[in-house]
Amino acid sequence: MPVIKVEMFEGRTTDQKRELVEVLSRETARITGCDVDSIYVILEDVKKSNWGAGGMLCSDKFPDEKPAMEESGRE
Amino acid sequence: MPVIKVEMFEGRTTDQKRELVEVLSRETARITGCDVDSIYVILEDVKKSNWGAGGMLCSDKFPDEKPAMEESGRE
Amino acid sequence: MPVIKVEMFEGRTTDQKRELVEVLSRETARITGCDVDSIYVILEDVKKSNWGAGGMLCSDKFPDEKPAMEESGRE
Amino acid sequence: MPVIKVEMFEGRTTDQKRELVEVLSRETARITGCDVDSIYVILEDVKKSNWGAGGMLCSDKFPDEKPAMEESGRE
Amino acid sequence: MPVIKVEMFEGRTTDQKRELVEVLSRETARITGCDVDSIYVILEDVKKSNWGAGGMLCSDKFPDEKPAMEESGRE
Amino acid sequence: MPVIKVEMFEGRTTDQKRELVEVLSRETARITGCDVDSIYVILEDVKKSNWGAGGMLCSDKFPDEKPAMEESGRE
């Protein structure tokens, strides 16, 4: 029955989202013992200008590396 | 005082949203006995490519019927 | 596919919760045209000492009428 | 460790968001005694046509004053 | 930077929660390319009497199998 | 109209919560220009055993200092 909500910086590709949904659902079903069909995953793309960390807007804190920061490990 | 958050596939019309706000607020006030003026309803339009069900992205699972699936009952 | 989250003061009875789940699900299915079986409703009981309105804790603002305030309409 | 989520009408400027992140983070750290670096703030811009208050869509309730209502105090 | 929120039936053990946090964080970091240290996971234990599915309270829908339903796969 | 949700470790006192509600509401009203009476603040007390950071349960990561960690700045 779990509902999993992931809030993250915008910029993830459809392939990343597909894998995220597949893996988070499968692992949550395995660990909690629930049926994978009962799991919803909702992804929320958040702009860096709508996210604050340590008291600063992330669009100020990470100005250059817009999508790069989180995606650098993907290529 | 209730705050009601509805996450659903994007594609609802303003008329549907208006009725949703009106009915959910009225019924929640009636059932809980609170004042309808104290109720907030927040609707969140979620893309099928941001929603996973049963381990699959809904944009893969329901590819043809984009808005149709949920709206089929409306005509 | 909707997920409906209701945050409200604690103190609702199981009968009120049952009716809330039934009515909100049925009405949301009717208005949006989705399948009622795809709807999740999650109720969250919030203490008045964890809710602020107009800059005041509700446990300070409504001190006497603990559950009564919202339930007065129920008898 | 707090996570602060603010849902508000769309239309806030980057300057307002920057100040909101800075002030809410600093004050929450001061009051709870936690480290400001551990705080996340997530801002969510909600359209008036996705917000209901008192059983009415806010786009119907406040039709003229679109962003003005909330921003009138800013100039 | 992701924040992952998991709402599920109460009754998960600390071992299950520990594994859930570890696996969901590691897999999300791997898939999105972000730093695992920047990830928060918040688990929310929801009573069956606070969860509705298909218009019914889950405490009515799954009366016998209280924690068993979701944990049956764990032994 | 803002709704502010604060998820934090359990253990805050009523005085801290009162100040949090007062200050976050006042500052949000000042910065966004909205009416303080329209603001709701919902506080959520999260157990360390329900919070993960960096892939670890916080109850494992901060075992000794249960409420102390966040409250150390309060005395």
Side-chain angles (χ1 to χ4, degrees), chain B residues 3-16:
Chain B
V3 174
I4 303 172
K5 179 103 181 247
V6 184
E7 295 172 295
M8 54 187 180
F9 286 163
E10 63 179 9
R12 309 280 78 74
T13 65
T14 300
D15 279 349
Q16 288 175 302

Side-chain angles (χ1 to χ4, degrees), chain F residues 5-49:
Chain F
K5 178 101 181 249
V6 184
E7 295 172 295
M8 55 186 180
F9 286 163
E10 63 179 6
R12 309 280 76 75
T13 66
T14 301
D15 280 349
Q16 289 176 303
K17 291 178 176 181
R18 183 179 290 116
E19 189 178 359
L20 208 51
V21 161
E22 183 193 317
V23 172
L24 299 192
S25 302
R26 185 188 65 215
E27 291 299 304
T28 299
R30 182 184 63 78
I31 294 167
T32 66
C34 75
D35 183 352
V36 73
D37 286 333
S38 71
I39 298 178
Y40 282 172
V41 179
I42 300 175
L43 308 177
E44 194 162 343
D45 300 311
V46 182
K47 291 193 185 93
K48 286 192 172 184
S49 53

